[in-house]
Amino acid sequence: MDFEFLSHQPPEGRPLSIANLFEKPLRRTGGLFSAIAVALAISGCATHAADPAPVESQVVPTVPDDTEGTAAESPNVISVSPNVVSYENYRDPLMPFNRAMFRFNDVVGRFVLIPLGKGYARVIPPVLERRVDSFFDNVATPIYAVNELLQLDLEPAGTNLLRFGINTTVGLLGLFDPAKAWFGLERSPADFAATLAHYDVGYGAYIVLPFFGPSDLRNAAGRGVDYLLNPVPYVLDNPDGFILLSYGWFHDFAFGAEDFETLLEETDDPYIFLRNLHLQRIQRDAAYRD
């Protein structure tokens, strides 16, 4: 499997890595379920928590995009796979909650979501898959635009607003992307977690979210805000809006379900492994921002 770690703005196309199994659905649905973690996140983000570092030092491991270097070059990390490092003695203050939530996610995933996702991914035609992708990318565009405005990044905010207007009308509610095809207007994702990072808010503690899995308090709070910025709840009453956003999350999850099942089968402690994946993504994001 390719354990690739991407920043808050991954390139176009379906994510094929375990790390992005959760990231894209979270970003596009605006944190549908993560709003329940906002109360925890507010208390965690009230203080500027330090970004996680491997072992006991503040040395940031550098894991290259290719396979020429390994994490073993650093004395503070232990190689787990060509692209995954282990964080020893990482302080996990929410571990009792996280372990319980992980077990819940594991049971729901193994017996419900993964079987349904694998079946869905096998039967949906590629052309329909692309249309659904395009629709939910368009739905999330106002989230991107508002967060770019909050970051005072005016050009991509304006581009996203233009994209939303064009694709919602000419593109038939976003089923098609004439903004890019005809005018060269590229999608520029941004979320409230990135906005908080822009203003130097720390990650806070690691937390496992129901259904969505690995996260941290800053991202959990950010996803709750992104949900408030999502236009779907304002256009459709519940339960219709909830069902639509749930379907969008499931659509993205389905195409990584088989990889996730393989991960669960091949990992001795999936909780620790997924936590390491999340921590390494944090380090990779920090390296990109630098």
Side-chain angles (χ1 to χ4, degrees), residues 99-147:
R99 285 280 190 182
M101 189 55 64
F102 176 82
R103 286 192 292 270
F104 168 79
N105 288 344
D106 185 42
V107 171
V108 174
R110 287 178 188 270
F111 298 105
V112 180
L113 293 177
I114 289 177
L116 290 176
K118 290 167 63 178
Y120 175 86
R122 288 169 183 164
V123 301
I124 187 172
V127 63
L128 182 57
E129 175 194 346
R130 291 193 295 271
R131 299 287 72 79
V132 174
D133 276 343
S134 182
F135 172 81
F136 282 104
D137 280 336
N138 186 63
V139 164
T141 303
I143 301 174
Y144 307 155
V146 171
N147 279 294

Side-chain angles (χ1 to χ4, degrees), residues 35 60 68 94 105 108 187 245 257 263:
V60 177
E68 294 178 0
L94 300 178
N105 288 344
V108 174
R187 180 170 62 93
L245 290 179
L263 172 70

Side-chain angles (χ1 to χ4, degrees), residues 138-174:
N138 186 63
V139 164
T141 303
I143 301 174
Y144 307 155
V146 171
N147 279 294
E148 284 157 344
L149 287 173
L150 291 174
Q151 296 173 44
L152 304 180
D153 207 351
L154 302 184
E155 183 176 348
T159 298
N160 272 324
L161 288 174
L162 281 174
R163 281 181 50 82
F164 185 69
I166 295 170
N167 289 345
T168 301
T169 54
V170 182
L172 303 178
L173 297 179

Side-chain angles (χ1 to χ4, degrees), residues 21 58 92 123 145 150 168 256 279:
L21 183 62
Q58 292 298 315
D92 190 351
V123 301
L150 291 174
T168 301
L279 295 177

Side-chain angles (χ1 to χ4, degrees), residues 4 6-15 20 24 27 187 189:
E4 180 182 355
L6 302 178
S7 67
H8 288 291
Q9 299 186 15
E12 296 282 354
R14 175 164 305 286
N20 275 323
K24 187 177 179 182
R27 189 179 63 250
R187 180 170 62 93

Side-chain angles (χ1 to χ4, degrees), residues 233-258:
Y234 302 101
V235 175
L236 297 176
D237 294 330
N238 283 328
D240 296 341
F242 180 85
I243 292 172
L244 180 62
L245 290 179
S246 297
Y247 169 69
W249 173 85
F250 175 75
H251 173 81
D252 280 314
F253 172 85
F255 292 91
E258 191 164 356

